[in-house]
Amino acid sequence: MVWWDRRTCLAAALGAALLSGSFGGAAAQGAAGEKVVIRFTWKLKGEYAPLFVALDKGYYKAEGLDVTLSEGSGAQTVLKVVGTGQEHFAYGPAVNALQAVSQELPVKLVALYQTSTPMGVIAFPDVTLKTPKDMEGKSIAISSGETFSDMIRPFAKLNGIDIEQVKRVQLDNSARASQFLARRVDLLSVFLTNDLPKMEHVTGVKFNLLKPADFGLAVPGAALIVNTTWAEQNPELVKKVLRATAKGYADAMADPVAASQAFQKHLTIKEDPGVLERQVKATMASTNAPAGKPIGWQDETTIVKALDLLTETGSLKGRKDPGAYYTNAYLQ
């Protein structure tokens, strides 16, 4: 088959460029103003486009901010940096922030842009993957700080998977795609808004896809997260960041193609325009924009359901009142 004949060269190329984020450019910086760093929890990827739209269109500058958008190396690492006050803003998976709060890290969600993380588990067409139980007897590449890797045990518990029958192969994130494409592991977790469009474009393969959200693992996704104490001391600055970011999101939802073009300028290694457009469109389709509320508005029900899931699966060390995890106070 075509994908089998091409896999060796594709493995090398994608392993270096796809999940490692090495196709992403360096940090992007705005014009003069009050300096703010927003640290992504991972390398640059298409779902970050709305923030670059806000940067390029001068929305941060108009708020008197000099914003730097910087790559990260995993949610746990970045949240510790924010929690210790070394930096003030993180942009990444809300579910990791919920866990961090329960571990007494002083961080809080101030805007939630995805009420459900758009992630999936994929396999080659000849590998059965229709239900979670199909994961048993197979190997999956996992990495520290990668969302599904962090949630695989809760997912297994929810779906009666014998986790000991799933071979978890610990790999550096930069190696996960290449090992999967070389058929050294059977399964790979991906973001539907980033990895999957890239892989299907490059390989020409329509992978078997399992969506964890369809089987109970609907955990909140992209969010802006702050150092709690710092935010309380700088409320107006937080409001400015959220206002400008919301404008970037609104523009990206109105014109995903233009948003993908704006983001393309910040990539050191350019992405195929069609892939980037597909990534941004998928991101916009999953964006939390409730009617009559600011983009990023958080419904307590979403937070409580996520806490219930994490509690049920033993993924919280201690549960607090919902207000300890999130606030809409800075959204306007």
Side-chain angles (χ1 to χ4, degrees):
M1 297 177 68
V2 173
W3 54 261
W4 181 267
D5 296 335
R6 299 168 63 192
R7 75 171 191 265
T8 302
C9 60
L10 290 171
L14 278 176
L18 179 61
L19 297 182
S20 69
S22 62
F23 60 89
Q29 190 164 350
E34 189 165 7
K35 293 186 179 298
V36 174
V37 174
I38 300 177
R39 178 74 61 182
F40 298 121
T41 56
W42 208 247
K43 310 303 179 183
L44 295 190
K45 50 185 178 177
E47 66 185 71
Y48 298 157
L51 283 79
F52 285 93
V53 171
L55 185 71
D56 282 3
K57 289 199 171 185
Y59 296 146
Y60 293 121
K61 181 181 177 181
E63 295 283 357
L65 304 175
D66 175 5
V67 168
T68 298
L69 303 177
S70 297
E71 295 182 328
S73 56
Q76 294 175 4
T77 300
V78 172
L79 287 172
K80 286 179 182 178
V81 169
V82 172
T84 55
Q86 299 173 59
E87 292 182 352
H88 304 129
F89 288 92
Y91 182 97
V95 64
N96 293 100
L98 299 181
Q99 292 172 306
V101 171
S102 288
Q103 294 167 1
E104 304 301 331
L105 202 63
V107 297
K108 184 170 283 191
L109 303 173
V110 291
L112 178 63
Y113 301 108
Q114 291 172 332
T115 55
S116 181
T117 302
M119 58 185 172
V121 178
I122 62 172
F124 274 92
D126 60 335
V127 177
T128 300
L129 186 63
K130 295 181 179 179
T131 71
K133 289 288 284 184
D134 289 332
M135 294 176 64
E136 293 182 356
K138 298 180 177 67
S139 59
I140 183 170
I142 62 171
S143 299
S144 299
E146 191 272 326
T147 304
F148 186 75
S149 297
D150 292 343
M151 298 298 294
I152 190 170
R153 284 187 177 276
F155 183 66
K157 186 172 183 179
L158 280 172
N159 290 282
I161 300 169
D162 183 350
I163 192 65
E164 299 308 320
Q165 295 300 312
V166 181
K167 183 179 180 181
R168 286 147 286 146
V169 182
Q170 185 74 39
L171 296 168
D172 184 87
N173 198 61
S174 62
R176 292 195 311 123
S178 61
Q179 294 298 293
F180 171 74
L181 290 170
R183 307 300 298 265
R184 296 190 180 99
V185 291
D186 302 312
L187 309 174
L188 181 72
S189 58
V190 295
F191 277 93
L192 309 181
T193 52
N194 183 58
D195 311 317
L196 186 59
K198 173 77 171 180
M199 296 188 76
E200 290 189 338
H201 171 77
V202 174
T203 63
V205 176
K206 186 68 174 177
F207 296 102
N208 289 336
L209 172 64
L210 183 74
K211 295 181 180 179
D214 292 342
F215 296 92
L217 195 68
V219 294
L224 262 173
I225 305 150
V226 297
N227 177 286
T228 306
T229 302
W230 178 86
E232 291 171 351
Q233 296 170 349
N234 298 274
E236 293 307 313
L237 196 153
V238 179
K239 291 177 184 178
K240 290 177 180 180
V241 169
L242 295 185
R243 275 199 302 266
T245 301
K247 290 178 180 177
Y249 259 96
D251 285 359
M253 286 191 290
D255 193 344
V257 175
S260 69
Q261 292 169 347
F263 181 64
Q264 183 83 273
K265 295 186 297 184
H266 297 275
L267 298 178
T268 301
I269 301 175
K270 302 305 179 185
E271 181 59 272
D272 176 271
V275 170
L276 200 51
E277 288 176 17
R278 184 178 165 191
Q279 291 173 334
V280 176
K281 286 178 180 178
T283 299
M284 295 304 97
S286 66
T287 295
N288 172 35
K293 301 290 185 181
I295 293 173
W297 184 268
Q298 301 167 88
D299 186 328
E300 185 166 304
T301 301
T302 300
I303 304 301
V304 170
K305 285 183 178 179
L307 292 172
D308 288 345
L309 171 63
L310 294 172
T311 300
E312 179 184 348
T313 56
S315 300
L316 282 186
K317 289 190 175 181
R319 182 165 176 168
K320 304 176 184 291
D321 291 335
Y325 298 90
Y326 84 103
T327 179
N328 287 316
Y330 305 106
L331 283 167
Q332 298 177 335

